Coordinates of all heavy atoms in Angstrom, one line a residue:
S10 N -19.5 7.3 -4.6 CA -20.2 6.0 -4.3 C -20.7 5.4 -5.6 O -20.6 4.2 -5.8 CB -21.4 6.2 -3.3 OG -22.3 7.1 -3.9
A15 N -19.9 1.2 -9.7 CA -19.7 0.9 -11.1 C -18.4 0.2 -11.3 O -18.3 -0.8 -12.1 CB -19.7 2.2 -12.0
G27 N -13.1 -13.5 -17.5 CA -11.8 -14.1 -17.4 C -11.8 -15.5 -16.9 O -11.0 -16.3 -17.4
R32 N -7.8 -21.6 -18.0 CA -7.4 -23.0 -18.4 C -8.4 -24.1 -18.2 O -8.4 -25.0 -19.1 CB -6.1 -23.3 -17.7 CG -5.4 -24.6 -18.2 CD -4.0 -24.5 -18.0 NE -3.4 -25.8 -18.3 CZ -3.1 -26.3 -19.5 NH1 -3.4 -25.5 -20.5 NH2 -2.5 -27.4 -19.7
L35 N -10.8 -23.5 -21.4 CA -10.1 -23.5 -22.7 C -8.6 -23.8 -22.5 O -8.0 -23.2 -21.7 CB -10.2 -22.1 -23.4 CG -11.6 -21.6 -23.7 CD1 -11.6 -20.2 -24.2 CD2 -12.3 -22.5 -24.8
H36 N -8.1 -24.8 -23.2 CA -6.8 -25.2 -23.0 C -5.8 -24.5 -24.0 O -4.6 -24.3 -23.6 CB -6.6 -26.7 -23.2 CG -7.3 -27.5 -22.1 ND1 -6.7 -27.6 -20.8 CD2 -8.4 -28.2 -22.0 CE1 -7.5 -28.3 -20.0 NE2 -8.6 -28.6 -20.7
W40 N -6.8 -19.4 -28.4 CA -8.2 -19.3 -28.2 C -8.6 -18.7 -26.9 O -9.6 -17.9 -26.8 CB -8.9 -20.7 -28.3 CG -9.0 -21.2 -29.7 CD1 -8.3 -22.2 -30.2 CD2 -9.8 -20.7 -30.7 NE1 -8.6 -22.4 -31.6 CE2 -9.5 -21.4 -31.9 CE3 -10.7 -19.6 -30.8 CZ2 -10.2 -21.2 -33.1 CZ3 -11.3 -19.4 -32.0 CH2 -11.0 -20.2 -33.2
L47 N -12.7 -11.0 -26.7 CA -14.0 -10.8 -27.3 C -15.1 -10.8 -26.2 O -16.0 -9.9 -26.3 CB -14.3 -12.0 -28.3 CG -15.7 -12.0 -28.9 CD1 -15.8 -10.8 -29.9 CD2 -15.9 -13.3 -29.7
G48 N -15.0 -11.6 -25.2 CA -15.9 -11.5 -24.1 C -15.9 -10.2 -23.3 O -17.0 -9.7 -22.9
L50 N -15.1 -7.3 -24.6 CA -15.7 -6.3 -25.5 C -17.2 -6.5 -25.4 O -17.9 -5.5 -25.3 CB -15.2 -6.5 -26.9 CG -15.9 -5.6 -27.9 CD1 -15.5 -4.1 -27.7 CD2 -15.5 -6.0 -29.3
V54 N -20.5 -3.9 -24.4 CA -21.4 -3.5 -25.5 C -22.8 -4.0 -25.5 O -23.7 -3.3 -25.8 CB -20.7 -3.9 -26.9 CG1 -21.6 -3.6 -28.0 CG2 -19.4 -3.2 -27.0
S58 N -25.7 -6.6 -20.2 CA -24.5 -6.6 -19.4 C -24.7 -5.7 -18.2 O -25.0 -4.5 -18.4 CB -23.3 -6.2 -20.2 OG -22.2 -6.0 -19.4
K61 N -22.3 -2.6 -18.7 CA -22.8 -1.6 -19.6 C -23.8 -0.7 -18.9 O -23.8 0.5 -19.1 CB -23.4 -2.2 -20.9 CG -23.9 -1.1 -21.8 CD -24.6 -1.6 -23.0 CE -24.9 -0.5 -23.9 NZ -26.1 -0.5 -24.6
T69 N -24.8 9.1 -18.0 CA -26.1 9.8 -18.0 C -26.1 10.7 -16.7 O -26.6 11.8 -16.8 CB -27.2 8.8 -17.9 OG1 -27.2 8.0 -19.1 CG2 -28.6 9.5 -17.9
T73 N -26.8 14.8 -16.5 CA -28.0 15.3 -15.9 C -27.7 15.9 -14.5 O -28.5 16.7 -14.0 CB -29.1 14.2 -15.7 OG1 -28.6 13.2 -14.9 CG2 -29.5 13.7 -17.1
P77 N -27.5 7.8 -10.6 CA -28.2 6.7 -9.8 C -27.2 5.6 -9.4 O -26.2 5.4 -10.1 CB -29.1 6.1 -10.9 CG -28.5 6.4 -12.2 CD -27.8 7.7 -12.0
A79 N -25.8 2.0 -8.9 CA -25.9 0.8 -9.6 C -26.0 -0.4 -8.7 O -25.1 -1.3 -8.8 CB -24.7 0.7 -10.6
T93 N -20.4 -18.3 -12.5 CA -19.3 -18.6 -13.4 C -18.2 -19.3 -12.6 O -17.6 -20.3 -13.0 CB -18.8 -17.4 -14.1 OG1 -19.9 -16.8 -14.8 CG2 -17.6 -17.7 -15.0
R104 N -11.8 -32.2 -15.0 CA -10.7 -32.3 -16.0 C -9.4 -32.4 -15.4 O -9.0 -31.9 -14.3 CB -10.7 -31.0 -16.8 CG -11.8 -31.0 -17.8 CD -11.6 -29.8 -18.8 NE -12.6 -29.8 -19.8 CZ -12.6 -28.9 -20.8 NH1 -11.8 -27.9 -20.8 NH2 -13.6 -29.0 -21.7

Side-chain angles (χ1 to χ4, degrees):
S10 59
R32 185 152 173 82
L35 299 171
H36 289 286
W40 283 111
L47 179 65
L50 176 69
V54 174
S58 171
K61 181 182 183 218
T69 303
T73 62
T93 302
R104 283 192 177 177

